[in-house]
Amino acid sequence: MQNSPETRIHKNAVKAWRITTGLSGLLWFIPLGFYILLTLQSGISWLYFGLITAVCLIMYILSIILIPSIRWERWRYDVSDQEIDLLRGIIIRKRTLVPINRIQHVDTRQGPLYRKFELSSVTVSTAATTHEIPALDDRTAEDLRDKISVLVRKVKEDV
């Protein structure tokens, strides 16, 4: 088996993922809102209200503090002349090898939050699926996109 990839994504990914998780984590409070709506007319049981609020807050705080840091710690990639090696996953670790000769096109992508932190993602498309290397600084993402493009052209010319 090959060695694990060593290249890490940019550290600002943690900040961007924390904001994203913070915004999407507000969904944890929807059950609390439903509980309040359902019990407004019949009277609120403060025990259940406190229990649901505590669970929502704990899940919300854990998802903001822990998940982005662990996700960043686990995300690694390498690009060689033969393949792109991706390693990621918090509970289930997933490793993907994308052969260079299977790549059809490569893109960079940047949303508003990534733009604030000067990050971009590189997406690599094959006939079957698309793979993403998230949260690289803009310059690294452009260089990686160009490097993969050159490698693909070189491999396809050899065929």
Side-chain angles (χ1 to χ4, degrees), residues 73-84:
E73 187 69 36
R74 301 280 171 90
W75 233 112
R76 295 167 192 247
Y77 72 96
D78 275 332
V79 177
S80 69
D81 292 346
Q82 304 298 316
E83 61 203 9
I84 299 172

Side-chain angles (χ1 to χ4, degrees), residues 3-131:
N3 294 332
S4 295
E6 297 294 326
T7 310
R8 290 182 181 264
I9 58 178
H10 198 276
K11 186 69 176 168
N12 279 347
V14 175
K15 296 175 188 172
W17 290 341
R18 281 191 174 141
I19 292 171
T20 302
T21 304
L23 294 174
S24 64
L26 294 174
L27 297 175
W28 286 105
F29 295 98
I30 289 175
L32 184 64
F34 276 120
Y35 179 76
I36 290 173
L37 284 176
L38 292 175
T39 58
L40 266 178
Q41 295 177 352
S42 62
I44 295 176
S45 169
W46 293 106
L47 176 65
Y48 292 127
F49 177 75
L51 187 64
I52 292 172
T53 302
V55 169
C56 290
L57 278 174
I58 290 169
M59 296 299 289
Y60 185 66
I61 291 169
L62 288 178
S63 67
I64 291 174
I65 294 173
L66 290 180
I67 301 298
S69 297
I70 295 170
R71 187 176 169 200
W72 179 83
E73 187 69 36
R74 301 280 171 90
W75 233 112
R76 295 167 192 247
Y77 72 96
D78 275 332
V79 177
S80 69
D81 292 346
Q82 304 298 316
E83 61 203 9
I84 299 172
D85 192 355
L86 308 171
L87 178 64
R88 62 208 177 275
I90 295 175
I91 296 172
I92 298 172
R93 302 207 62 178
K94 185 174 182 181
R95 188 168 182 190
T96 306
L97 298 174
V98 182
I100 292 291
N101 62 354
R102 300 288 185 190
I103 295 173
Q104 293 184 334
H105 67 273
V106 58
D107 300 314
T108 54
R109 182 185 309 174
Q110 187 181 51
L113 197 54
Y114 271 21
R115 202 168 20 253
K116 177 180 175 15
F117 290 103
E118 299 177 350
L119 299 173
S120 294
S121 295
V122 174
T123 58
V124 176
S125 299
T126 63
T129 188
T130 300
H131 304 278

